[in-house]
Amino acid sequence: MTDKQKKIRTPLSVFSTFPEFFEEHRSVIRESLIALLICAIGDLCAGVILGKMTFFLETFPGLLVIIPGAIGMRGNIFGSFASRLSTNLHIGIISPKFEFSEDLNYNIFSSFVLTLVLSLFLAIIAKILCILLHQPSMDLIDFILVSVIAGIISNLIMLPITMLVSFKSFEHGWDPDNITSPIIAAFGDLFTLPAIIVSVFILQAISFNFIFKDAVLAIILIAVLVSFVYCYRLSYETNTILKQSTPVLLLCSFLGGAAGGILNSAVETLLTNPSLLTLLPLFSGESGSLISILGARLSSGLHSGLVEPFNKPEGEAVHNFIISFILAIIVFPLIGLLAEASSYVLGVVGVGFDKIVEISTLSGIILVAIMVIIVYYVSVTSYNHNLDPDNIVIPISTSITDSISSLILISISLLLLGVLI
């Protein structure tokens, strides 16, 4: 079969020759599955931490609103950073020898600045959503300090990890598009919640004096503004990254805050079903990672010409859709089992293995069915409008995933638990 014939195969013909399709894409499925399983470990740890954060959620009202947005923001910013690194490694702009260069330095600084700006915006959005939804919440100053301090802590950890994973995977012959986004998302999930807890302790430590607390806030606001202006003027590369990424990431922060608002409105249901609280980061993280893989592969495919920016997906794009569903059918039942097993090990009453597997699997299939279409058209639209998909696709797709994954998971949970209990 020629390459052209492979590209124009219909989905039906792919399923009729599934062994051949699986053999052709086995390395992609294997690499992606390994990365998703690694991601699941990080997400499980995040779920366990979240399950143990009931004291903080009760003491600092509104904190739950910020958590999905903060977790999503790490994946968005550093997923885009990794995607740019992957594209630059593929086309030879950045050396795979892990040598610092102007292009690499510009990417590092831009990612750091974006984290500061988005952390500030997320805090403001969280406070506004709490007011609009009539939910109890802490002061805006507290939201800002918690969000920005947690962002700085996560940044110091995530920047070197992202570079290490990207360069090492490429150096060992693995495609970074299949590896970096899930692993980086796992580390982001793993470190974001502890960073938020540390930032809460720092907030308590600096709250002994209102003047000192206001001075810290003023320093943070000035640092955010100055760093953004400096980065915007630094070079064409940093200017492009900020101009293309900032509006997208602002929208993503709003969607992340909306996801937090959804969770906060259902906080009593979650607290009375701890295994669902554990499942939330697992489900959101695995969904975002799976969609990030699809987004990264479509971005690289558009850059390299393997994926054509047609109005109707075909060829390699359809192949990537099918790979996403194969991964979903494997991963979502597994994370349901992990969530319930962790509750069992910790001596917490769960909802039952059969119920949680049904909830996770059905929610995951529905989510992937929606997102493959959204990701494709976001990729094609951005590419056709001369925007770099590396800066657009992963942030938008993962943020939409974060927001609707919470809604789908909670809706399916209430539906199935209401019917089965």
Side-chain angles (χ1 to χ4, degrees):
M1 183 178 294
T2 66
D3 290 339
K4 184 176 181 181
Q5 288 173 319
K6 288 179 181 178
K7 283 187 177 183
I8 63 174
R9 284 188 305 185
T10 65
L12 182 61
S13 66
V14 169
F15 282 114
S16 65
T17 59
F18 183 78
E20 179 187 345
F21 176 85
F22 185 84
E23 183 63 28
E24 181 183 339
H25 297 89
R26 181 167 57 180
S27 63
V28 176
I29 295 172
R30 184 186 70 246
E31 292 175 8
S32 301
L33 186 58
I34 291 173
L36 287 170
L37 292 176
I38 294 173
C39 180
I41 297 173
D43 293 329
L44 179 61
C45 294
V48 172
I49 294 171
L50 182 59
K52 296 294 183 180
M53 281 183 65
T54 53
F55 168 77
F56 295 98
L57 297 179
E58 293 170 355
T59 307
F60 297 90
L63 188 62
L64 186 58
V65 181
I66 226 170
I67 288 175
I71 291 176
M73 182 172 62
R74 309 296 177 253
N76 292 336
I77 292 174
F78 293 103
S80 293
F81 177 38
S83 185
R84 289 194 298 270
L85 289 182
S86 175
T87 298
N88 290 337
L89 286 167
H90 278 302
I91 63 181
I93 292 178
I94 293 178
S95 168
K97 295 181 180 179
F98 207 162
E99 297 173 347
F100 285 99
S101 63
E102 271 195 349
D103 288 295
L104 181 57
N105 292 338
Y106 289 153
N107 272 283
I108 292 172
F109 188 50
S110 299
S111 299
F112 194 90
V113 170
L114 285 169
T115 299
L116 294 178
V117 173
L118 270 297
S119 296
L120 174 61
F121 183 77
L122 177 62
I124 296 171
I125 286 296
K127 181 61 178 179
I128 292 174
L129 285 170
C130 286
I131 294 173
L132 292 177
L133 297 173
H134 304 290
Q135 297 173 350
S137 64
M138 50 189 171
D139 294 336
L140 177 60
I141 292 177
D142 294 340
F143 269 118
I144 291 174
L145 290 174
V146 168
S147 182
V148 176
I149 292 172
I152 293 171
I153 294 171
S154 298
N155 227 338
L156 296 174
I157 299 170
M158 292 302 299
L159 276 170
I161 288 176
T162 303
M163 290 186 288
L164 180 65
V165 172
S166 298
F167 282 91
K168 288 299 180 182
S169 62
F170 188 85
E171 182 182 320
H172 288 84
W174 289 48
D175 187 346
D177 287 334
N178 303 330
I179 302 298
T180 52
S181 292
I183 293 180
I184 290 163
F187 279 110
D189 295 349
L190 181 61
F191 290 115
T192 295
L193 291 178
I196 289 175
I197 293 173
V198 171
S199 68
V200 167
F201 283 120
I202 293 175
L203 173 64
Q204 289 178 314
I206 65 176
S207 295
F208 68 92
N209 183 285
F210 287 111
I211 296 177
F212 181 77
K213 184 176 172 181
D214 290 343
V216 172
L217 175 66
I219 292 171
I220 286 176
L221 294 177
I222 293 171
V224 172
L225 178 61
V226 170
S227 62
F228 182 84
V229 173
Y230 177 77
C231 186
Y232 190 84
R233 296 177 176 178
L234 181 60
S235 70
Y236 174 78
E237 288 80 3
T238 56
N239 180 280
T240 300
I241 291 171
L242 291 187
K243 282 200 300 186
Q244 295 187 6
S245 298
T246 302
V248 173
L249 291 170
L250 290 176
L251 172 62
C252 295
S253 293
F254 176 78
L255 292 173
I262 293 170
L263 296 182
N264 206 42
S265 64
V267 66
E268 291 185 7
T269 301
L270 294 171
L271 292 177
T272 54
N273 293 280
S275 56
L276 288 181
L277 197 59
T278 302
L279 179 60
L280 269 169
L282 267 169
F283 185 80
S284 178
E286 289 296 286
S287 300
S289 296
L290 197 156
I291 297 304
S292 293
I293 292 174
L294 175 62
R297 289 185 58 79
L298 290 178
S299 295
S300 293
L302 287 166
H303 280 298
S304 63
L306 289 175
V307 174
E308 298 288 346
F310 296 143
N311 290 332
K312 181 181 178 182
E314 58 181 65
E316 193 63 27
V318 176
H319 292 181
N320 281 298
F321 293 176
I322 296 169
I323 290 170
S324 297
F325 279 103
I326 293 172
L327 293 171
I329 291 169
I330 298 172
V331 166
F332 286 112
L334 177 62
I335 64 172
L337 291 172
L338 286 175
E340 189 69 16
S342 66
S343 298
Y344 180 79
V345 170
L346 295 172
V348 178
V349 177
V351 299
F353 284 100
D354 55 339
K355 295 176 185 176
I356 205 163
V357 168
E358 280 188 77
I359 291 170
S360 181
T361 305
L362 181 57
S363 301
I365 296 300
I366 292 172
L367 179 70
V368 171
I370 296 171
M371 288 308 303
V372 292
I373 302 301
I374 292 176
V375 173
Y376 176 77
Y377 284 108
V378 170
S379 302
V380 169
T381 302
S382 61
Y383 185 81
N384 286 336
H385 286 79
N386 297 318
L387 298 173
D388 188 349
D390 289 329
N391 297 329
I392 306 294
V393 177
I394 289 180
I396 287 183
S397 59
T398 54
S399 293
I400 294 174
T401 300
D402 288 342
S403 57
I404 69 172
S405 68
S406 300
L407 180 60
I408 291 173
L409 183 63
I410 290 174
S411 299
I412 296 297
S413 298
L414 294 175
L415 176 65
L416 292 184
L417 291 176
V419 171
L420 293 172
I421 286 178

